[in-house]
Amino acid sequence: MNQRKRNSWLKLMALNACMLSSLPSTGLLAQTSSDKPTQIEVDLTKDKGPLKPIWAWFGYDEPNYTYMKDGKKLLTEISKLSKIPVYVRVHSLLVTGDGEAALKWGSTNAYTEDANGKPVYNWTIVDKIFDTFIERGMKPIAQIGFMPQALSTKPEPYRHHWKPGDNYNDIYLGWAYPPKDYAKWSELVYQWVKHSVAKYGQKEVESWYWELWNEPNISYWKGTTEEYIKLYDYTADAVKRALPTAKMGGPEVTGPGNEKSHVFFKAFMDHIVNGKNYVTGKVGTPIDFITFHAKGAPKLVDGHVQMNMGTQLRDIDKGFEVVASYPSLKNLPIIIGESDPEGCAACSEDFSPQNAYRNGTMYSSYTAASFARKYDLAQSRGVNLAGAVTWAFEFEDQPWFRGFRDLATNGVDKPVLNVFRMFGMMPTTRVDVKSGLAYDYVRVRDASVRAEADINALASKDAQSAAVMVWNYHDDNVPAPDAPVSVRLKGLPNKKVLLHHYRIDKEFSNSYEVWKKMGSPKNPTTEQVAELEAAGQLKELSAPEPVTVTSGEATLNFSLPRQGVSLLKLSWD
């Protein structure tokens, strides 16, 4: 560097130092960028209604992982991160088989028939799955499906043996077909609900959600739209006969923004309101909640992963629009039965390189930013969003950090799980975050995050605390300088306030980075596993510290790495 360039560089560094020293500090200031700080204003006096725990909903394809070693460990951790019961949705609860776990497969053998065609019911494995949930204070979203082999109109071939890299369509075999006998199907459902009430009690089962099938607008359902509607009528009738106060819903279509999905969704909703019931012959069918799925669409661009949050939000918005168009159904709870950055949890990174976002902080920052916008979309459509299911769990006995869409690997929590720990620490009344930031929900929905970074926040309060979740997200997973952030809070009490600052980035709450620093061991030692487990927990950026409140206001300054997430938790007596 010549002397002239060196002098210019020194002047620039002095100017940066001067800018940073002029900012109010709480001891958290550690900017590495000379950009002007992003100003975020949080007004605790402006309530925006309840911050519903829409994040406390999870699901996965492989039901038999539920009661396996790492499955039970992860479910325990998920149950502990939430103040309220977590709901869990799994596939294949009525599939015929021996209960062996495999990718995108599960079975319970709940229904078979003897040599004379007489039904044989066996609830052993179903109960084992639900027991695991209920022992942890969790609740099932009891998915009624898929078709037992003895009832399938095409019973052979029945079981698939799919693995990453295979054709995804290979999975849709005999379990995806309509029943050959709707009366036997109805009796199966009736017996399941009746058994559940006998085993767990009426009050417990009344707190569950019962639903029919999964994504019937694509190959998960090999029947017609009308056959699904017929199956729904028979299923809803059976559920309500067994327990009139049970909550029954559907249709779990995927991608409401897609024309075929939209047509299917509307046909189902029209039937619910005005159709002739296949069982009763009367107009209409019982429904207590409405479900659909929404996914993003990552891809590789110039060698890096580029997410597409906008695709997911547009599908959510279209689903809300459909529900809102039915006045008699508009206020029913909506559960987004799968709400994720893309569609295939079991498609690992080694065969699907666009899924390389899953191990690190891109998944966690995407989750923070997208969930915040779900609240806004529901409010804008005037609908009742109850939950958004994250379709991610764990994959038993798979290579470390293989790049599945999961929350943990071999019993070690990944960064994304810590976002849910942050959500679980937030109070229940949402408060105003001042608009005027680079992105609002409309811009993310319509254009995703392709220009400047989305540095934004979600905030809430109760009588003795407040929390602000701040993220620095971008669709493109490329290096960028840390961003200086200044959070100004209004409406604080004029008393002693204590700040805890939690962080997810490359250095904090990140088992993946620790694993890579170890040399990415394929078989970590016992000591390494213990270190990874500790690294997977939510960490504080610094020691708790007091915050100076003046006239009900305080300003918190810090730097936030790209794809990082901070939770500022303030408490007072």
Side-chain angles (χ1 to χ4, degrees):
M1 182 184 295
N2 62 37
Q3 189 61 40
R4 183 176 178 181
K5 288 184 178 179
R6 178 178 175 80
N7 288 341
S8 298
W9 180 80
L10 290 171
K11 287 179 182 179
L12 179 61
M13 292 301 293
L15 178 60
N16 288 343
C18 181
M19 285 177 58
L20 297 182
S21 66
S22 68
L23 291 169
S25 176
T26 63
L28 300 174
L29 189 59
Q31 283 95 337
T32 58
S33 168
S34 61
D35 294 342
K36 182 179 179 182
T38 298
Q39 303 285 339
I40 297 175
E41 292 194 9
V42 176
D43 192 338
L44 301 179
T45 69
K46 294 184 178 179
D47 292 6
K48 294 188 69 177
L51 187 71
K52 292 182 182 179
I54 63 170
W55 49 268
W57 305 66
F58 296 88
Y60 43 102
D61 291 79
E62 301 84 3
N64 306 105
Y65 286 162
T66 300
Y67 47 77
M68 296 178 74
K69 173 177 61 70
D70 291 339
K72 292 170 76 172
K73 179 180 181 182
L74 180 55
L75 285 168
T76 298
E77 291 189 289
I78 293 171
S79 70
K80 288 180 177 178
L81 61 78
S82 174
K83 302 182 188 73
I84 54 93
V86 171
Y87 280 88
V88 187
R89 175 179 184 260
V90 294
H91 291 339
S92 302
L93 290 171
L94 296 179
V95 167
T96 304
D98 58 8
E100 177 190 1
L103 295 179
K104 296 199 68 66
W105 176 257
S107 60
T108 67
N109 229 38
Y111 180 94
T112 54
E113 293 180 358
D114 65 17
N116 298 317
K118 182 180 178 181
V120 177
Y121 304 107
N122 184 342
W123 307 114
T124 304
I125 296 178
V126 172
D127 287 351
K128 192 174 182 180
I129 293 166
F130 282 14
D131 286 349
T132 307
F133 299 152
I134 291 165
E135 288 164 2
R136 290 159 176 78
M138 306 170 102
K139 305 283 186 182
I141 305 174
Q143 185 183 127
I144 302 171
F146 300 116
M147 195 58 59
Q149 190 169 15
L151 286 180
S152 175
T153 53
K154 189 179 179 183
E156 295 290 350
Y158 188 75
R159 177 174 176 174
H160 69 74
H161 295 276
W162 181 90
K163 61 185 183 300
D166 290 351
N167 187 330
Y168 195 83
N169 289 319
D170 290 349
I171 71 171
Y172 304 119
L173 300 177
W175 55 265
Y177 284 81
K180 61 185 180 184
D181 188 324
Y182 282 83
K184 282 187 174 181
W185 168 266
S186 179
E187 184 64 17
L188 164 60
V189 175
Y190 174 81
Q191 291 294 336
W192 184 13
V193 178
K194 186 178 177 181
H195 164 79
S196 298
V197 172
K199 178 174 174 60
Y200 300 106
Q202 179 175 328
K203 184 177 179 181
E204 173 63 34
V205 179
E206 284 174 340
S207 70
W208 302 359
Y209 291 88
W210 296 85
E211 60 159 11
L212 176 64
W213 223 257
N214 178 70
E215 300 182 350
N217 59 303
I218 62 173
S219 293
Y220 273 94
W221 177 245
K222 288 295 188 179
T224 64
T225 303
E226 199 61 32
E227 284 173 320
Y228 175 83
I229 288 170
K230 179 179 180 179
L231 193 72
Y232 182 88
D233 285 354
Y234 274 89
T235 304
D237 179 77
V239 169
K240 296 290 187 178
R241 279 191 291 113
L243 181 61
T245 51
K247 292 181 282 193
M248 177 67 202
E252 292 287 8
V253 296
T254 188
N258 174 276
E259 184 178 355
K260 288 185 178 179
S261 174
H262 186 261
V263 169
F264 190 111
F265 199 179
K266 292 282 288 184
F268 174 81
M269 298 287 276
D270 289 343
H271 177 78
I272 292 293
V273 175
N274 299 311
K276 182 180 178 181
N277 191 294
Y278 276 94
V279 178
T280 67
K282 298 178 181 179
V283 174
T285 299
I287 193 166
D288 301 294
F289 63 97
I290 299 166
T291 59
F292 63 86
H293 298 178
K295 308 281 187 173
K299 61 182 180 180
L300 281 184
V301 177
D302 298 328
H304 71 267
V305 176
Q306 182 184 78
M307 307 297 279
N308 195 332
M309 191 181 296
T311 295
Q312 184 185 3
L313 297 187
R314 286 190 294 275
D315 268 346
I316 292 172
D317 194 41
K318 181 59 69 172
F320 290 166
E321 180 184 65
V322 169
V323 176
S325 69
Y326 292 85
S328 64
L329 305 178
K330 179 178 179 179
N331 294 322
L332 290 180
I334 295 172
I335 299 170
I336 308 174
E338 296 181 24
S339 189
D340 304 290
E342 35 67 41
C344 178
C347 296
S348 58
E349 176 188 339
D350 43 2
F351 290 96
S352 303
Q354 73 274 15
N355 291 338
Y357 74 89
R358 293 168 163 181
N359 287 327
T361 58
M362 191 172 210
Y363 192 6
S364 43
S365 62
Y366 181 105
T367 299
S370 61
F371 265 87
R373 275 47 188 255
K374 295 169 194 178
Y375 291 103
D376 293 329
L377 288 167
Q379 187 174 38
S380 72
R381 293 291 183 184
V383 296
N384 178 15
L385 176 60
V389 176
T390 293
W391 201 254
F393 186 53
E394 65 95 16
F395 292 86
E396 203 85 15
D397 298 324
Q398 294 290 331
W400 286 81
F401 294 100
R402 192 179 179 189
F404 293 113
R405 193 174 70 238
D406 48 13
L407 306 173
T409 176
N410 291 280
V412 168
D413 300 339
K414 293 166 67 171
V416 66
L417 186 59
N418 286 311
V419 166
F420 295 104
R421 290 193 170 105
M422 288 180 170
F423 277 125
M425 296 168 67
M426 297 187 73
T428 55
T429 300
R430 189 178 180 189
V431 297
D432 185 62
V433 175
K434 186 178 179 181
S435 59
L437 295 165
Y439 290 88
D440 60 10
Y441 78 94
V442 175
R443 187 182 179 196
V444 180
R445 179 196 66 190
D446 295 346
S448 205
V449 183
R450 300 293 170 82
E452 61 267 69
D454 175 28
I455 302 172
N456 216 312
L458 178 71
S460 64
K461 69 171 183 180
D462 58 21
Q464 293 183 302
S465 70
V468 185
M469 182 187 288
V470 186
W471 56 86
N472 178 359
Y473 171 78
H474 199 282
D475 273 353
D476 289 291
N477 199 22
V478 295
D482 293 3
V485 179
S486 183
V487 177
R488 180 186 177 194
L489 294 112
K490 299 179 181 179
L492 287 167
N494 289 308
K495 57 174 67 175
K496 183 179 180 181
V497 174
L498 187 67
L499 171 68
H500 289 262
H501 186 158
Y502 301 90
R503 169 64 63 81
I504 305 167
D505 61 20
K506 283 193 173 184
E507 302 298 325
F508 293 87
S509 316
N510 194 328
S511 60
Y512 182 52
E513 289 297 325
V514 172
W515 180 71
K516 289 194 293 183
K517 288 176 183 176
M518 291 176 175
S520 305
K522 293 183 178 180
N523 296 292
T525 64
T526 302
E527 292 76 15
Q528 286 176 321
V529 170
E531 184 180 351
L532 290 169
E533 286 180 327
Q537 300 302 302
L538 182 61
K539 305 292 187 182
E540 292 193 57
L541 182 66
S542 57
E545 61 180 290
V547 173
T548 301
V549 179
T550 304
S551 300
E553 296 188 9
T555 301
L556 310 176
N557 300 306
F558 55 95
S559 67
L560 186 60
R562 179 63 58 86
Q563 313 301 5
V565 184
S566 276
L567 181 72
L568 311 174
K569 186 68 185 285
L570 301 104
S571 58
W572 52 86
D573 295 328

